[in-house]
């Protein structure tokens, strides 16, 4: 189980680092997309902070996953981003669903594997 955790954590970390660095340094060409995704992407680009914020979170969480430090916190921070990745790919670019499923389910697996660290969040204090 420990080796599986390290493999999934490392793969997610490398994927998050690659996508965020390639976004900021413009290393990868613009992917081919359909009209609905282009309209959605144009709407996101109007707000000048949203995509850079998500990519910054991906970068920080990718570093956390690679180094193995603050993984519990990084899992919670990246969860909304991975959910959005899954939903965007499900509705707008279905050909990318396998990668989106890996990212989302990998994040859920890491949360499950560190569940002992999250138990105190769900205790009602009186």
């Amino acid at each position: 189980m420990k080796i599986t955790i390290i493999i999934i954590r490392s793969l997610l970390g490398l994927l998050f680092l690659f996508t965020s660095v390639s976004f900021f340094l413009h290393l990868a060409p613009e992917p081919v997309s359909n009209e609905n995704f282009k309209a959605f992407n144009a709407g996101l680009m109007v707000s000048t902070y949203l995509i850079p914020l998500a990519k910054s979170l991906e970068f920080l969480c990718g570093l956390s996953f690679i180094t193995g430090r603050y993984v519990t916190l990084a899992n919670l921070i990246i969860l909304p981003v991975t959910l959005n990745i899954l939903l965007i790919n499900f509705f707008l670019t279905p050909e990318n669903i396998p990668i989106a499923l890996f990212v989302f389910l990998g994040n859920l697996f890491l949360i499950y594997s560190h569940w002992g660290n999250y138990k105190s969040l769900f205790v009602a204090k009186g």
Side-chain angles (χ1 to χ4, degrees):
M1 180 78 163
K2 189 173 184 175
I3 299 215
T4 307
I5 294 170
I6 291 171
I7 290 171
I8 290 178
R9 193 185 75 211
S10 299
L11 288 174
L12 284 176
L14 289 172
L15 184 65
F16 288 142
L17 283 177
F18 173 75
T19 57
S20 60
V21 168
S22 66
F23 172 78
F24 287 120
L25 299 179
H26 305 288
L27 298 177
E30 185 80 22
V32 178
S33 57
N34 59 20
E35 291 301 317
N36 290 337
F37 186 74
K38 286 180 184 177
F40 176 77
N41 205 16
L44 283 179
M45 290 302 175
V46 170
S47 64
T48 57
Y49 70 92
L50 199 55
I51 296 294
L53 174 66
K55 293 301 180 181
S56 298
L57 289 176
E58 284 182 13
F59 180 76
L60 292 174
C61 291
L63 281 177
S64 174
F65 287 159
I66 292 296
T67 61
R69 303 189 64 147
Y70 304 108
V71 174
T72 304
L73 178 63
N75 282 327
L76 290 181
I77 290 173
I78 204 68
L79 182 62
V81 176
T82 60
L83 179 62
N84 280 311
I85 290 170
L86 179 66
L87 292 175
I88 288 168
N89 284 303
F90 182 75
F91 289 111
L92 297 176
T93 56
E95 63 274 3
N96 294 333
I97 283 184
I99 295 172
L101 270 174
F102 169 72
V103 169
F104 182 70
L105 293 176
N107 186 233
L108 288 181
F109 173 76
L110 290 177
I111 288 173
Y112 174 75
S113 65
H114 293 93
W115 188 250
N117 299 339
Y118 301 112
K119 283 186 180 180
S120 64
L121 292 174
F122 301 105
V123 174
K125 297 185 180 182

